[in-house]
Amino acid sequence: MARFCSILSVGMLILTVFTCSTISQTVDERLQQFTTSFMQFKRVVETKVTRLETKNTQLEALIAQKDKQYELLAAKVAELELSLQNEQPPLTSNTRTAVIHTEEVITVTNGEKDGRWGRLESCPTGSRAVGYQTQNKFEALFEDVDETGLNMLVIFCDDPLQTKISSPVGFLGDWQPIRECAAGSYMKSFRMRVSPAGQVSDRNTTDNTAINNMRFMCSNGRELRSEGNTGGTWGEYSAECLDGICGMETRFRPDGGLLVDNTALNDVRFTCCTPDDLEIVLTE
């Protein structure tokens, strides 16, 4: 009986060792399979990431190329428009016609660099700028809202049709009251209130809003003031257009989506009328 028990114990021990060996082998095989699958998955992910990075680099290069082409095209269009404006129309025996030339440009030094310059917008022949209006997006209640300050600028001309020239259409904001020079006077210079890129605001953020407000000086010495945004600082007045402002170009940053610091209007420059060109069409 004792011998039988010994034989039985040895058998059970051998069975246990065999079972443990089998289980260990199964775990090793599964671990090896998992490792192989994980490495295959890793290689696939790395390949896709590399392809996405390559496509992103190509897309950025294409965007930069298109931006450069746009700037060259805008410069050529502006040059062509200026050339056309400087051409005197043929005169007949009973008609004397005047054309407004916009040769001198007035600027300020605190404009921002975001966005691109648009085309030159000009008042009709024989007229000049006498008033303006702004669209402003004022500070929101929540700090995570992207502020854009002054979104759109409209200039009013003194022709019979009261023509308006403007910057590109802004994102959001409220229209402020129209500010106009007194009858017989006209706008001749300007200044801007700007929040530059990287400047910490009163709300302890670096949300860039670029232009926040603008003011103009009339030929009679009266200053036109709009109720704009209060962020940033006022710059100095520009040089004066002695015979008035006839045209406007704006640097504008279009809406880039939620992940971009949108700034809308970044800079403005105005073209002046020359003394000899502000004449009225006369017919004898």
Side-chain angles (χ1 to χ4, degrees):
M1 186 67 179
R3 184 178 181 183
F4 174 76
C5 290
S6 299
I7 294 173
L8 181 61
S9 298
V10 171
M12 291 180 66
L13 178 61
I14 293 173
L15 178 61
T16 300
V17 171
F18 177 77
T19 302
C20 292
S21 176
T22 303
I23 294 174
S24 176
Q25 183 179 2
T26 303
V27 171
D28 290 342
E29 289 176 354
R30 290 183 178 179
L31 181 60
Q32 182 64 33
Q33 292 174 355
F34 173 78
T35 302
T36 302
S37 300
F38 175 77
M39 293 304 295
Q40 291 176 348
F41 174 75
K42 181 180 179 182
R43 284 193 293 270
V44 171
V45 171
E46 289 176 346
T47 301
K48 290 185 177 181
V49 169
T50 301
R51 290 177 180 176
L52 288 175
E53 290 177 346
T54 301
K55 289 183 179 180
N56 184 58
T57 302
Q58 294 174 347
L59 181 60
E60 290 179 348
L62 181 60
I63 291 175
Q65 182 182 4
K66 294 298 183 182
D67 286 343
K68 187 175 181 180
Q69 292 176 351
Y70 176 84
E71 291 178 356
L72 292 174
L73 180 60
K76 290 182 179 180
V77 170
E79 182 180 353
L80 178 60
E81 289 178 341
L82 185 60
S83 176
L84 292 174
Q85 289 172 354
N86 287 335
E87 290 182 0
Q88 290 285 355
L91 301 180
T92 62
S93 58
N94 63 344
T95 304
R96 181 164 60 88
T97 308
V99 177
I100 291 181
H101 297 302
T102 53
E103 298 172 350
E104 183 182 354
V105 179
I106 57 173
T107 62
V108 290
T109 59
N110 62 332
E112 281 293 278
K113 307 298 183 184
D114 201 10
R116 295 184 297 213
W117 285 104
R119 58 178 294 176
L120 174 67
E121 302 286 343
S122 299
C123 289
T125 300
S127 66
R128 50 193 166 193
V130 294
Y132 79 108
Q133 186 180 26
T134 62
Q135 181 190 35
N136 295 76
K137 181 179 182 295
F138 294 100
E139 291 185 355
L141 297 177
F142 306 99
E143 293 187 0
D144 59 345
V145 175
D146 187 11
E147 303 295 346
T148 52
L150 198 159
N151 275 239
M152 189 173 177
L153 172 65
V154 177
I155 297 295
F156 295 88
C157 306
D158 64 353
D159 61 303
L161 298 178
Q162 297 181 331
T163 300
K164 296 183 290 186
I165 58 178
S166 68
S167 63
V169 177
F171 312 137
L172 297 169
D174 301 318
W175 284 104
Q176 305 308 303
I178 299 173
R179 307 297 184 186
E180 292 183 297
C181 296
S185 61
Y186 48 85
M187 301 190 322
K188 64 177 183 178
S189 61
F190 75 105
R191 68 189 301 203
M192 302 192 308
R193 185 169 195 161
V194 177
S195 177
Q199 184 182 69
V200 179
S201 67
D202 296 337
R203 300 171 65 178
N204 198 30
T205 67
T206 56
D207 183 8
N208 183 21
T209 55
I211 301 178
N212 286 299
N213 201 354
M214 295 189 69
R215 292 177 180 175
F216 290 84
M217 186 65 69
C218 297
S219 58
N220 63 353
R222 177 194 171 199
E223 186 180 53
L224 301 182
R225 299 183 178 186
S226 176
E227 298 296 330
N229 298 75
T230 58
T233 55
W234 284 105
E236 298 294 328
Y237 258 100
S238 68
E240 295 183 349
C241 287
L242 297 181
D243 292 281
I245 292 172
C246 287
M248 175 178 70
E249 293 175 275
T250 56
R251 186 168 197 152
F252 187 82
R253 172 66 163 83
D255 190 354
L258 297 177
L259 301 180
V260 175
D261 185 6
N262 295 304
T263 54
L265 199 60
N266 271 252
D267 201 358
V268 185
R269 57 193 180 202
F270 295 96
T271 49
C272 303
C273 312
T274 58
D276 298 332
D277 299 320
L278 290 173
E279 300 178 1
I280 301 175
V281 177
L282 300 177
T283 302
E284 299 177 356

